């Protein structure tokens, strides 16, 4: 058996020092590892700097960087000095001789062990706490910049008469300083106590005094500083009551003082402040008295006072003063909360008017012509027809449209037209051959905008395109169609070098292109290439021959991503939308300034408030919030991102917003004045959806101005769930050109509905003027329905649609085969005291992969129609075209009437052909064969026209006494699906 170490020394295996070669190798590997880590850190820093410089916002990078560095070093150094000084002082105050006890003998070994390394240990501890503290402090750069650059709101809170800027800009910084002070003192106490214990200043088991006089004085001063900070905390807590949130009545995020705060907590905090000051002085007095007795008693009294005065007393006030008469006690404070909340969210001027919800007009036919004046009803739902755009206008597999299209306004014959628009963006998933060159060099951009009228469809139910084909052409005129920056462009591209890009393809083959913009970062420098190879984890960037002179890398390419990067102090709206402006495609991005420090204004959580049925299925529409819980919001900035060059511009929109003015001081020359917005761009700016969703959520409770009504909770509304699907999420707001009762003409608006809390009937309709540049832009109008009568809400209207027998049967037939029915946006339009509901119905199937508009649902005043076109549905609802009278009761069974006949053989043949075409159309409808259905409709129209012409000739010649007449007006209407519940009757006697 081999020797395992128990034999003589000579037989043991010795492990000597590594050879020189091994040591050199290990040292080399260590140096390379350190250099690799250093270059990785440098690559992140360097690529960020290069990117900010490429977009001409390097000042944002430098301001943010130097602020973080300054905070890191200042507060890291302060923490290191505080802890290091107290360790040094505790060591300096150590007793000259330690007590002869077992405890001290054990500690002697530790003291002797660390003696040679005391300085290094001190430096190590202070460096560690300094690094941690500095890293934490650098994360407070926004708090620092807002404090040092804060401008006044010129509004004061009702309790302390302080400007709102104190709560929004000053108080957060003071709280950070207070928290830092607490951390420094606690760490210093721990470090000093351990040092005193190690060197005998504190004793646990040794006989005699437990602490030396020096240790007692040192620790007492530190605890006195801690108690002093607690006194400052009590004082700041007084002001914190104005921005404190709590659950109260109709809101879960009530903010501001209530009766118990003003009459119990506020005086309690003041008393506790005084007690803490006295207690701190007692601790400082130990420097002379050298005893813990008085400060310990004082500290105990402070803790007891905090329990009794700060906890028990307010509970007693709430129980015995507030609850017996809550309405009267809380009303003044509720009134302040109502006022502040409405101001903070920009809803103080919301105009709430009573609205009957039912028309008094007896003859509805007289209202038919008023519909066009009331609204330009959009039957193209941008959230449904994206697959239709994709199928009809994709052109190549490597193009795609966003899941949700956008609604904008474009002029047609001098009149604004609501338009559904989307960009044909790059879709790398559609590239046949996936490799690094194709993904990042050849397929680099999308091409062209596609637009369609929002208020009409063609005869097949497809969008009526106003801009289409590849390259796109139509009513948008000439513009730069290449899209290098878009919502679906999430990967980097390297352009401008020797590798040609695929521009687009036509009948003559592929066209190539070389990017001529300068929005990217140059890769001609080997250092840049190495940095991006590390940053992107792509070593081919370093040596690829596809990169050469003129090559530049494009990244951070989605509009929201670019705006967020150059303005990290803004909250970004979830829906960026494209517009053709001055010959360029511009992405328009709405951005907000927020704070959660507005006194008395209730808080809201942006992520929850802005969620709806669209964000639930499309994460890209979610708000990008710098601060998720806020109680003040303004749409202070309108931003644009050029789809070709990537150029980002920020425009000051709210010229009175103090939060924006503060950030403009912190980042000068980053935001352009509002006057720099030209008219062409102004025509496409609109009221943002996420702000509207926040405001509508607040208006469910804060539409009331009376404190007693608010407290009763009788007027609480809710945003209804989307009735067109089963997601259970809130209905999204809809853009629509419409006219409210007090308006003289239509305006581009953003609309929504409200229902009572826990019920489905309608309680209110809300619209905001969304057309930028107009006098009423941003004006909120709310039509409040009476509580004494019931008006159907969206869910009830949808149920009414689905429950009517004829409509249900038609829907069943539309679903025949493998077809699917999709409900479009349920639009609500005020009309003559009543409410008009319109909902387009799409069918997808029968071999088609995209939805087509097949029916339109309309209801008004209890009348419902389900017809092929909007016009026909409106005619039926309003009775503008009278229905034929029922057949006379002859006493005979008329359930199966005989087929129509005619003495004129020509007419009879035409009618037979019409009946055959109608039957074929019905069968095609059941089979979901839309192509066959369209042909049958055409045959039916031709046959009826022949019958009409033959009957007219027969009438002119005096023949055919028993001849029957058929006119085009009697045929099934439109080119889309007829109502399958109608009885086939191609011949109607004149």
């Amino acid at each position: 058996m081999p020797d395992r170490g128990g034999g003589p020394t000579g037989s043991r295996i010795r492990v000597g020092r590594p050879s020189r070669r091994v040591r050199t190798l290990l040292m080399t590997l260590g140096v390379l590892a350190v250099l690799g880590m250093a270059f990785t850190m440098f690559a992140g820093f360097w690529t960020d700097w290069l990117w900010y410089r490429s977009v001409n916002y390097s000042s944002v990078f430098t301001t943010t960087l130097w602020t973080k560095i300054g905070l890191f070093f200042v507060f890291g150094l302060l923490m290191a000095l505080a802890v290091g000084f107290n360790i040094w002082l505790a060591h300096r105050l150590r007793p000259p001789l330690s007590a002869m006890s077992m405890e001290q003998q054990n500690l002697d070994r530790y003291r002797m062990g660390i003696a040679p390394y005391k300085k290094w240990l001190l430096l190590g501890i202070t460096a560690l706490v300094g690094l941690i503290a500095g890293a934490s402090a650098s994360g407070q750069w926004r708090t620092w910049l807002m404090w040092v650059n804060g401008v006044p709101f010129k509004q004061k809170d009702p309790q302390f008469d302080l400007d709102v800027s104190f709560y929004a800009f000053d108080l957060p910084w003071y709280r950070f300083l207070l928290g830092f002070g607490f951390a420094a003192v606690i760490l210093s106490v721990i470090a000093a106590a351990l040092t005193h214990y190690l060197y005998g200043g504190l004793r646990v088991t040794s006989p005699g005094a437990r602490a030396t006089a020096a240790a007692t004085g040192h620790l007492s001063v530190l605890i006195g500083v801690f108690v002093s900070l607690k006194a400052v905390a009590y004082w700041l807590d007084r002001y914190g009551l104005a921005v404190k949130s709590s659950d109260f009545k109709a809101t879960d995020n009530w903010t501001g003082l209530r009766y118990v705060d003003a009459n119990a907590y506020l005086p309690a905090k003041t008393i506790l402040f005084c007690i803490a000051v006295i207690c701190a002085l007692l601790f400082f007095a130990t420097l002379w008295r050298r005893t813990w007795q008085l400060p310990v008693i004082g500290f105990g009294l402070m803790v007891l006072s905090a329990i009794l005065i700060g906890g028990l007393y307010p509970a007693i006030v709430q129980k015995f003063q507030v609850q017996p008469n809550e309405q009267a006690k809380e009303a003044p404070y509720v009134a302040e909360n109502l006022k502040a909340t409405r101001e903070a969210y920009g809803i103080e001027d919301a105009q709430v008017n009573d609205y009957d919800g039912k028309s008094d007009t007896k003859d509805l036919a007289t209202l038919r012509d008023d519909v066009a004046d009331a609204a330009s009803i959009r039957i193209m739902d941008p959230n449904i027809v994206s697959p239709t755009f994709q199928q009809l206008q994709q052109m190549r597999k490597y193009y795609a449209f966003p899941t949700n299209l956008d609604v904008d306004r474009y002029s047609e014959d001098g009149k604004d037209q609501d338009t559904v628009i989307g960009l044909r963006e790059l879709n790398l998933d559609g590239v046949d051959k996936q490799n690094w060159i194709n993904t990042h060099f050849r397929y680099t951009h999308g091409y062209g905008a596609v637009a369609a009228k929002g208020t009409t469809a063609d005869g097949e139910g497809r969008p009526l395109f106003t801009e289409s084909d590849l390259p796109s052409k139509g009513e948008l005129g000439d513009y730069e169609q290449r899209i290098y920056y878009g919502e679906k462009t999430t990967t980097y591209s390297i352009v401008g070098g020797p590798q040609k890009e695929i521009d687009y393809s036509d009948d003559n083959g592929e066209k190539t292109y070389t990017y001529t913009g300068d929005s990217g970062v140059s890769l001609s420098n080997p250092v840049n290439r190495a940095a991006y190879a590390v940053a992107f984890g792509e070593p081919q960037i370093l040596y690829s021959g596809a990169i050469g002179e003129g090559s530049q890398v494009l990244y951070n390419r989605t509009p929201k991503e670019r705006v967020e990067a150059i303005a990290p102090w803004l909250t970004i709206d979830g829906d960026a939308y494209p517009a053709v402006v001055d010959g360029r495609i511009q992405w328009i991005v709405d951005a907000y300034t927020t704070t959660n420090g507005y006194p008395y204004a209730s808080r809201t959580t942006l992520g929850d408030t802005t969620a709806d049925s669209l964000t639930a299925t499309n994460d890209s529409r979610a708000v990008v919030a710098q601060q998720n819980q806020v109680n003040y919001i303004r749409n202070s900035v309108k931003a644009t991102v050029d789809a070709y060059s990537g150029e980002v511009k920020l425009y000051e929109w709210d010229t009175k917003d103090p939060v924006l003015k503060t950030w403009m001081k912190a980042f000068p020359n980053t935001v352009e004045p509002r006057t720099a917005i030209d008219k062409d761009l102004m025509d496409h700016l609109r009221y943002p959806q996420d702000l509207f969703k926040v405001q509508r959520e607040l208006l469910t409770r804060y539409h009331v101005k009376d404190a007693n009504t608010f407290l009763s909770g009788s007027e609480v509304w809710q945003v209804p769930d989307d009735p067109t699907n089963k997601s259970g999420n809130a209905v999204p707001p809809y853009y629509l050109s419409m006219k409210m009762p007090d308006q003289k003409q239509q305006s581009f608006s953003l609309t929504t509905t409200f229902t009572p809390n826990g019920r489905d009937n309608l309680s209110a309709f809300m619209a905001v003027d969304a057309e930028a540049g107009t006098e009423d832009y941003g004006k909120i109008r709310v039509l409040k329905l009476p509580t004494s009568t019931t008006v159907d809400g969206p869910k009830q209207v949808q149920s009414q649609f689905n429950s009517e027998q004829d409509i249900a049967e038609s829907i069943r037939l539309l679903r025949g085969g493998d077809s699917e029915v999709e409900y479009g946006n349920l639009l609500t339009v005020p009309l003559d005291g009543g409410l008009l509901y319109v909902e387009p119905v799409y069918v997808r199937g029968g071999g088609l992969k995209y939805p087509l508009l097949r029916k339109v649902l309309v209801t008004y005043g209890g009348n419902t129609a389900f017809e092929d076109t909007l016009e026909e549905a409106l005619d039926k609802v309003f009775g503008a075209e009278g229905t034929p009278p029922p057949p006379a009761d002859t006493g005979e069974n008329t359930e199966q009437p005989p087929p129509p006949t005619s003495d004129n053989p020509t007419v009879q043949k035409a009618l037979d052909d019409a009946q055959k075409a109608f039957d074929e159309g019905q069968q095609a409808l059941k089979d979901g064969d839309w192509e066959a259905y369209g042909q049958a409709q055409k045959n039916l129209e031709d046959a009826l026209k022949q019958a009409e012409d033959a009957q007219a000739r027969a009438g002119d010649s005096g023949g055919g006494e028993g001849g029957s007449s058929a006119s085009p007006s009697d045929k099934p209407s439109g080119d889309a699906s007829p109502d399958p519940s109608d009885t086939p009757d191609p011949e109607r006697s004149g």
Side-chain angles (χ1 to χ4, degrees):
M1 295 291 289
D3 188 355
R4 300 191 181 276
T9 305
S11 63
R12 294 177 184 169
I13 300 175
R14 292 193 173 186
V15 180
R17 295 179 61 190
S19 65
R20 183 175 181 180
R21 179 180 297 177
V22 173
R23 292 199 306 272
T24 302
L25 178 61
L26 292 175
M27 185 175 296
T28 302
L29 290 175
V31 171
L32 290 176
V34 171
L35 290 176
M37 294 176 59
F39 188 78
T40 300
M41 297 174 61
F42 167 77
F45 161 80
W46 185 243
T47 54
D48 284 348
W49 160 249
L50 291 174
W51 185 84
Y52 276 97
R53 190 176 64 176
S54 73
V55 293
N56 299 317
Y57 281 92
S58 55
S59 63
V60 174
F61 178 81
T62 54
T63 299
T64 305
L65 178 65
W66 286 117
T67 302
K68 290 180 179 179
I69 291 174
L71 291 172
F72 176 86
F73 280 105
V74 169
F75 286 95
L77 186 62
L78 286 175
M79 181 66 76
L81 287 175
V83 175
F85 172 76
N86 281 284
I87 293 175
W88 173 83
L89 184 61
H91 180 266
R92 180 77 179 268
L93 297 176
R94 68 190 185 280
L97 296 173
S98 59
M100 297 303 296
S101 65
M102 185 62 66
E103 178 186 27
Q104 295 302 315
Q105 290 176 13
N106 290 333
L107 289 174
D108 276 340
R109 290 182 295 176
Y110 293 104
R111 289 192 284 263
M112 293 175 63
I114 66 173
Y117 310 106
K118 284 191 295 186
K119 291 183 179 180
W120 291 109
L121 187 61
L122 178 63
L123 288 174
I125 293 173
T126 55
L128 178 63
V129 297
L131 286 173
I132 296 173
S136 176
S138 66
Q140 297 294 321
W141 63 271
R142 290 183 178 88
T143 307
W144 161 260
L145 288 176
M146 293 184 78
W147 177 67
V148 77
N149 295 288
V151 300
F153 277 68
K154 298 181 180 179
Q155 290 177 287
K156 296 185 177 181
D157 78 284
Q159 181 67 42
F160 302 103
D161 201 35
L162 294 174
D163 191 89
V164 172
S165 61
F166 171 80
Y167 301 94
F169 306 141
D170 300 344
L171 190 58
W173 178 249
Y174 298 153
R175 281 176 165 166
F176 163 71
L177 292 178
L178 188 63
F180 178 84
F182 276 125
V185 171
I186 292 172
L187 289 176
S188 296
V189 168
I190 294 173
L194 289 174
T195 305
H196 280 300
Y197 175 72
L198 181 63
Y199 287 96
L202 293 178
R203 307 181 186 102
V204 178
T205 61
S206 300
R210 299 299 183 192
T212 63
T216 299
H218 183 195
L219 294 177
S220 294
V221 170
L222 287 177
I223 297 174
V225 174
F226 178 87
V227 177
S228 299
L229 291 175
K230 188 62 180 175
V232 176
Y234 281 134
W235 190 255
L236 290 181
D237 284 347
R238 298 169 68 253
Y239 304 111
L241 293 172
V243 290
K244 182 193 73 171
S245 287
S246 60
D247 296 342
F248 178 59
K249 290 300 178 182
T251 174
D252 295 333
N253 289 300
W254 167 278
T255 302
L257 283 84
R258 291 156 50 191
Y259 181 88
V260 69
D261 297 314
N263 295 277
Y265 281 110
L266 185 57
K269 297 292 183 183
T270 305
I271 294 172
L272 289 172
F273 164 76
C274 297
I275 293 174
V277 171
I278 295 172
C279 184
L281 293 176
L282 292 176
F283 274 104
F284 293 141
T286 57
L287 286 173
W288 296 276
R289 294 181 56 85
R290 303 293 182 177
T291 176
W292 292 86
Q293 184 176 7
L294 283 179
V296 168
I297 292 174
F299 189 79
L301 288 175
M302 187 180 76
V303 173
L304 183 62
S305 299
I307 296 172
L308 296 178
I309 301 174
L312 184 60
Y313 174 62
I316 293 173
V317 171
Q318 178 68 25
K319 179 70 175 178
F320 295 102
Q321 290 191 33
V322 178
Q323 289 184 5
N325 192 17
E326 187 174 43
Q327 199 93 344
K329 296 289 187 182
E330 301 287 16
Y333 304 97
V334 171
E336 295 296 344
N337 175 270
L338 287 171
K339 180 176 181 293
T341 301
R342 292 169 64 88
E343 289 173 350
Y345 290 96
I347 57 176
E348 71 273 23
D349 295 327
Q351 179 180 306
V352 181
N353 294 320
D354 292 333
Y355 192 72
D356 291 338
K358 294 182 180 179
S359 175
D360 294 330
T361 302
K362 302 298 183 183
D363 184 7
L364 292 183
T366 61
L367 298 179
R368 175 61 183 88
D369 294 335
D370 295 338
V371 175
D373 186 52
S376 298
I377 298 174
R378 180 173 44 75
I379 56 175
M380 281 290 113
D381 186 346
N383 307 308
I384 296 288
V385 299
S386 179
T388 308
F389 273 51
Q390 183 82 358
Q391 184 69 24
L392 301 179
Q393 290 295 319
Q394 179 187 23
M395 303 304 181
R396 295 292 183 270
K397 288 193 300 181
Y398 48 82
Y399 293 134
F401 291 91
T403 304
N404 304 105
L405 304 178
D406 289 287
V407 178
D408 202 349
R409 296 140 295 150
Y410 287 90
S411 180
E412 181 182 11
D413 298 328
K415 182 180 180 182
D416 283 347
Q417 163 76 38
D418 287 2
T419 302
V420 177
I421 187 171
L423 299 188
R424 191 184 288 111
E425 295 190 44
L426 179 66
N427 175 31
L428 290 174
D429 292 335
V431 176
D432 290 331
K433 189 176 181 181
Q434 296 278 349
N435 56 52
W436 189 63
I437 293 295
N438 278 345
T439 301
H440 299 290
F441 289 81
R442 285 175 56 78
Y443 295 92
T444 59
H445 59 277
Y447 209 99
V450 176
K453 292 183 179 180
T455 55
T456 187
D458 70 5
E460 298 295 326
R462 298 172 301 194
L464 196 61
F465 292 109
T466 58
E467 182 81 11
S468 59
D469 299 334
L470 182 66
S472 295
K473 54 183 176 292
E475 298 181 1
L476 299 184
D478 295 330
Y479 59 96
E480 173 56 67
Q481 298 196 16
R482 297 175 181 89
I483 303 161
Y484 282 87
Y485 296 88
E487 291 180 304
K488 301 179 75 67
T489 315
T490 56
T491 189
Y492 70 89
S493 288
I494 298 176
V495 298
Q499 178 64 57
K500 293 289 186 180
E501 310 163 41
I502 293 177
D503 202 21
Y504 65 91
S505 301
D506 59 15
D507 294 338
N508 297 320
E510 289 184 349
K511 308 291 185 183
T512 59
Y513 182 73
T514 298
Y515 183 68
T516 60
D518 59 356
S519 61
V521 177
S522 174
L523 293 179
S524 57
N525 186 326
V527 175
N528 291 359
R529 293 177 68 169
Y532 278 101
V534 172
F536 290 167
E538 185 51 72
Q540 293 186 76
I541 294 177
L542 192 58
Y543 55 79
S544 174
I547 301 175
E549 187 66 29
S551 291
Q552 51 183 313
V553 59
L554 313 180
Y555 62 105
N556 286 350
R557 297 169 71 183
T558 66
K560 291 195 295 183
E561 191 177 30
R562 291 181 79 77
V563 175
E564 182 193 15
I566 67 166
W569 34 274
L570 290 174
T571 291
I572 312 301
D573 189 90
D575 184 25
Y577 61 97
V580 177
V581 178
D582 295 326
R584 312 280 291 193
I585 297 176
Q586 298 282 357
W587 288 98
I588 299 175
V589 183
D590 285 286
Y592 311 107
T593 48
T594 62
T595 180
N596 67 352
Y598 198 99
Y600 277 93
S602 290
R603 290 185 170 90
T604 186
T605 303
L606 291 179
D608 296 336
T609 306
T610 58
D612 58 27
S613 62
L614 296 183
T615 60
T617 57
N618 187 358
D619 292 340
S620 65
R621 292 181 68 96
V623 64
V624 182
Q626 300 296 337
Q627 193 175 32
N628 197 29
Q629 194 170 67
V630 303
N631 68 350
Y632 171 93
I633 185 169
R634 288 290 186 273
N635 177 212
S636 52
V637 171
K638 301 282 189 180
T640 61
V641 178
D642 192 294
Y644 179 82
S645 68
E647 181 184 20
V648 182
K649 289 186 176 180
L650 306 177
Y651 296 99
E652 180 184 15
W653 185 248
D654 190 332
T655 57
K656 298 180 181 179
D657 177 29
V659 181
L660 177 61
K661 292 181 183 299
T662 295
W663 286 118
M664 289 174 68
K665 281 181 63 180
F667 297 95
N669 303 318
T670 57
V671 181
E672 298 186 31
R674 179 167 176 158
T675 53
I677 302 176
D678 64 27
K679 182 183 183 304
D680 199 8
L681 175 59
M682 183 71 76
D683 289 342
H684 294 281
L685 300 182
R686 68 188 192 189
Y687 201 82
Q689 290 191 51
D690 283 340
L691 176 60
F692 183 80
K693 286 188 278 189
V694 169
Q695 290 174 327
R696 74 172 179 178
E697 179 64 30
L698 268 296
L699 282 169
T700 59
R701 294 155 291 162
Y702 287 91
H703 62 278
V704 300
K705 298 181 181 179
D706 178 66
N708 291 322
T709 305
F710 183 89
L711 283 167
S712 70
S714 60
E715 290 289 330
V716 177
W717 300 339
Q718 66 181 12
V719 178
D721 293 340
D722 192 341
T724 65
N725 57 60
K726 298 180 181 179
S727 66
N729 299 106
V731 61
Y734 296 123
Y735 286 105
L736 181 69
S737 290
M738 56 162 292
K739 183 175 72 172
M740 291 291 275
D742 65 329
Q743 292 180 293
K744 295 181 180 180
Q745 60 184 12
Q746 292 182 20
S747 65
F748 191 62
S749 304
L750 193 53
T751 67
T752 193
T753 53
F754 297 106
T755 58
N757 194 23
R759 296 164 58 194
D760 293 327
N761 57 290
L762 195 68
S763 57
F765 173 80
M766 172 182 171
V768 62
D769 196 318
E771 192 166 351
T774 61
E775 183 179 352
D776 284 344
Y777 171 81
K779 183 173 183 178
I780 298 174
R781 297 176 173 89
V782 179
L783 302 181
K784 184 175 177 292
L785 280 299
T787 56
S788 57
T789 59
T790 300
V791 179
D792 289 341
K795 186 176 180 179
Q796 293 172 322
V797 170
Q798 189 68 48
S799 298
Q800 179 183 339
F801 285 154
N802 297 337
S803 62
E804 289 205 10
Q805 184 175 356
D806 291 344
I807 296 177
E809 177 63 18
S810 297
I811 294 293
R812 186 186 69 80
L813 292 174
L814 289 173
R815 288 195 174 117
D818 60 350
S819 299
E820 296 180 5
V821 172
E822 298 182 35
Y823 294 101
N825 37 220
L826 180 57
L827 302 176
T828 309
V829 177
L831 177 65
D832 191 49
L835 291 165
L836 174 69
Y837 285 97
V838 179
E839 182 179 69
V841 178
Y842 299 83
V843 175
R844 186 202 304 243
L848 295 178
K849 298 180 181 179
Y850 56 93
L852 295 176
L853 179 67
R854 289 304 183 193
K855 291 286 185 179
V856 179
L857 284 161
V858 175
T859 184
Y860 182 82
N863 296 337
T864 301
F866 185 61
E867 300 297 326
D868 297 341
T869 67
L870 175 62
E871 296 301 316
E872 292 172 359
L874 292 172
D875 288 343
K876 184 173 181 180
V877 163
F878 291 99
E881 293 185 5
T883 58
D889 186 1
T890 61
E892 301 176 1
N893 185 358
T894 59
E895 291 183 2
Q896 299 292 336
T901 60
S902 172
D903 293 336
N904 187 320
T906 305
V907 174
Q908 184 60 50
K909 183 180 185 307
L911 292 177
D912 292 341
D913 292 341
Q915 184 65 48
K916 179 182 177 183
F918 185 83
D919 293 339
E920 290 174 348
Q922 290 296 93
Q923 185 61 44
L925 184 64
K926 293 179 181 179
D927 296 339
D929 188 344
W930 299 112
E931 184 176 355
Y933 175 74
Q935 183 61 44
Q937 288 291 94
K938 185 177 184 304
N939 294 341
L940 175 60
E941 183 177 1
D942 292 342
L944 290 175
K945 185 68 171 66
Q946 291 175 7
E948 181 185 25
D949 293 343
Q951 181 66 22
R953 289 194 298 271
D956 292 340
S957 62
E961 182 181 9
S964 59
S965 64
S967 68
S969 62
D970 297 323
K971 68 177 184 286
S973 57
D975 292 328
S977 308
D979 189 337
S981 63
D982 291 342
T983 303
D985 188 11
E987 179 191 18
R988 292 179 182 171
S989 300

